[in-house]
Amino acid sequence: MGNSILGVGIATVDVVHTLADYPREDEEIRSLSQQRCRGGNVANTLAILSALGHSVYFAGTVADDHHGEFILHDLNHRNINTRFSQYIKNSISPVSQVLLNTKTGSRTIIHSRDLPEFTYDDFCNINLDLFKWVHFEGRAINELEKILLFLEQEHTHIKVSIEIEKPRKGIEKLWRFGNILFISKNYATQCGYDNAAAILNKIQTQSNADAIVCAWGDKGATMLDSEGGEYYAPANHPQKVVDTLGAGDVFNAGVIHGCLKGEPYQQLLDGACFLAGKKCSISGLDFL
Ligand code: ADP
């Protein structure tokens, strides 16, 4: 078995406008600053895992435009190996416009995306002997289901984590896979839940995971293990919340890191909230 971590998902360009306050509709305002950063949930999680000392690889599709070059440059600069990525000719990189409200630290995101998804066939070209852990974004559900079945049947020693971030058609099919399931607050609230424990209890009835986790912004995070044990960690509140963009991705990296170190669930949940809170105190991901 290998020693590395593979992340399968998307890498984007985030154009972040830092604002004194959130605009009203039809208002014209000037931003305090504008910044172009590389985004994408899995790419962010890998960036943190790399900074924590892990050997990491990104697998996803990358466009052949100038944003694609920027994405690859950033990933490589962070020691994220991109050799298993797919380069799509004549394509356009996904871009997210992010409005960062310095008054509250909240981030409002508008995505645009027109890039083919990473497929089961792409995944089959990866040398899986390199990996001890694979982390997936819960997207392209039918392809991902085939990948997860393949891993379940052929690579039982590789640990798998899956992020369920948005309601997507058929995403419930993914609940039964993986060793760690990350359920986002966004997913929970869009499914009508108003707290982490409620959605975790629902999903646990259909999950085979060792643990399922739900982070809930400044309310911290909750985890259920397969024996019904429930764990809660409060958020680590920074003196000033500067930027919450990517806090969930950092949190996920913290959980994976703790699992790989063999930490008990309470300890790794505390550690993940500590990391995510630290991230909220600075702009961007370079806090380690
Ligand atoms: P995202 O919206 O990026 O998916 P979440 O809101 O679920 O992220 O938050 C993930 C984790 O980040 C939380 O469990 C918490 O530990 C930390 N976090 C998020 N927002 C704050 C905040 N305002 N203050 C302190 N910690 C926060």
Side-chain angles (χ1 to χ4, degrees):
M1 182 172 65
N3 249 328
S4 300
I5 302 169
L6 174 67
V8 183
I10 61 166
T12 64
V13 168
D14 291 345
V15 180
V16 184
H17 301 272
T18 304
L19 307 177
D21 204 347
Y22 195 78
R24 293 188 310 274
E25 186 169 346
D26 207 29
E27 190 178 13
E28 182 181 331
I29 56 165
R30 184 174 284 203
S31 67
L32 300 175
S33 65
Q34 192 214 93
Q35 212 186 348
R36 183 174 69 151
C37 343
R38 194 264 321 124
N41 291 9
V42 155
N44 283 341
T45 297
L46 290 175
I48 301 302
L49 286 166
S50 173
L52 289 169
H54 297 277
S55 155
V56 302
Y57 289 66
F58 170 75
T61 51
V62 180
D64 63 347
D65 59 1
H66 69 287
H67 282 325
E69 262 173 46
F70 173 77
I71 288 169
L72 285 177
H73 180 267
D74 179 86
L75 293 174
N76 293 327
H77 169 73
R78 292 174 187 279
N79 279 329
I80 300 173
N81 192 312
T82 51
R83 65 188 255 219
F84 297 122
S85 295
Q86 290 294 321
Y87 303 98
I88 313 286
K89 283 217 170 346
N90 302 319
S91 61
I92 299 171
S93 292
V95 176
S96 300
Q97 299 288 339
V98 182
L99 304 184
L100 198 62
N101 180 358
T102 45
K103 210 168 185 181
T104 60
S106 81
R107 82 289 176 278
T108 304
I109 309 174
I110 304 164
H111 297 293
S112 76
R113 183 178 171 84
D114 182 19
L115 186 67
E117 294 282 346
F118 197 74
T119 64
Y120 169 73
D121 289 340
D122 296 332
F123 188 83
C124 289
N125 288 325
I126 295 175
N127 173 9
L128 291 170
D129 293 340
L130 293 167
F131 302 107
K132 59 184 170 188
W133 192 291
V134 187
H135 176 57
F136 292 96
E137 253 169 65
R139 52 187 306 118
I141 308 300
N142 291 337
E143 293 299 303
L144 182 50
E145 188 185 22
K146 281 193 273 178
I147 293 171
L148 292 167
L149 278 168
F150 167 68
L151 283 173
E152 190 176 78
Q153 285 157 11
E154 310 280 333
H155 295 275
T156 43
H157 58 283
I158 298 180
K159 299 276 186 205
V160 169
S161 52
I162 309 166
E163 182 192 36
I164 310 284
E165 207 223 355
K166 293 187 180 108
R168 298 179 195 273
K169 195 163 177 284
I171 200 162
E172 306 74 32
K173 288 197 281 192
L174 306 183
W175 291 358
R176 74 165 202 79
F177 294 102
N179 299 87
I180 300 286
L181 267 188
F182 293 105
I183 310 296
S184 77
K185 174 184 170 189
N186 173 49
Y187 179 77
T189 52
Q190 291 201 41
C191 294
Y193 293 89
D194 65 2
N195 68 83
I199 188 153
L200 292 180
N201 278 300
K202 160 76 184 159
I203 289 179
Q204 198 183 37
T205 59
Q206 291 168 57
S207 161
N208 300 305
D210 302 329
I212 47 179
V213 197
C214 182
W216 206 273
D218 64 359
K219 302 279 185 305
T222 305
M223 189 171 201
L224 281 191
D225 70 20
S226 56
E227 273 140 39
E230 184 173 325
Y231 309 84
Y232 167 74
N236 162 27
H237 294 281
Q239 274 198 333
K240 178 165 170 45
V241 175
V242 174
D243 169 19
T244 60
L245 180 67
D249 309 330
V250 172
F251 172 84
N252 293 354
V255 170
I256 294 170
H257 178 67
C259 287
L260 285 169
K261 279 173 61 187
E263 290 176 357
Y265 287 140
Q266 186 62 56
Q267 187 181 337
L268 68 86
L269 200 60
D270 288 336
C273 282
F274 176 78
L275 265 191
K278 208 165 157 190
K279 185 265 145 316
C280 295
S281 70
I282 60 115
S283 166
L285 291 179
D286 296 315
F287 62 97
L288 286 170

